[in-house]
Amino acid sequence: MSLLIEGIDVLTADHAAGWMKNMDIGIENDRIVFVVPSGQAPVIFKADRKISGRRRLAMPGLVNAHTHV
């Protein structure tokens, strides 16, 4: 399955890249295959499903590094 999230803002874990506005994210199966400015998805990418990311934020997963066992 492939998914295209269109026009989403992206908060990266890369300090230099930081906050990227109005991006498209392409996902195949369980992998992110690209993050590009909106409208610049590779033409060979055929999404099974497209969803709008307007007024949404994609960000790295949060990790619980403070667990008491």
Side-chain angles (χ1 to χ4, degrees), residues 19-34:
W19 187 285
M20 300 184 296
K21 292 190 172 277
N22 198 26
M23 305 297 285
D24 288 350
I25 301 174
I27 302 169
E28 284 187 0
N29 299 317
D30 62 348
R31 303 272 183 216
I32 296 173
V33 292
F34 62 82

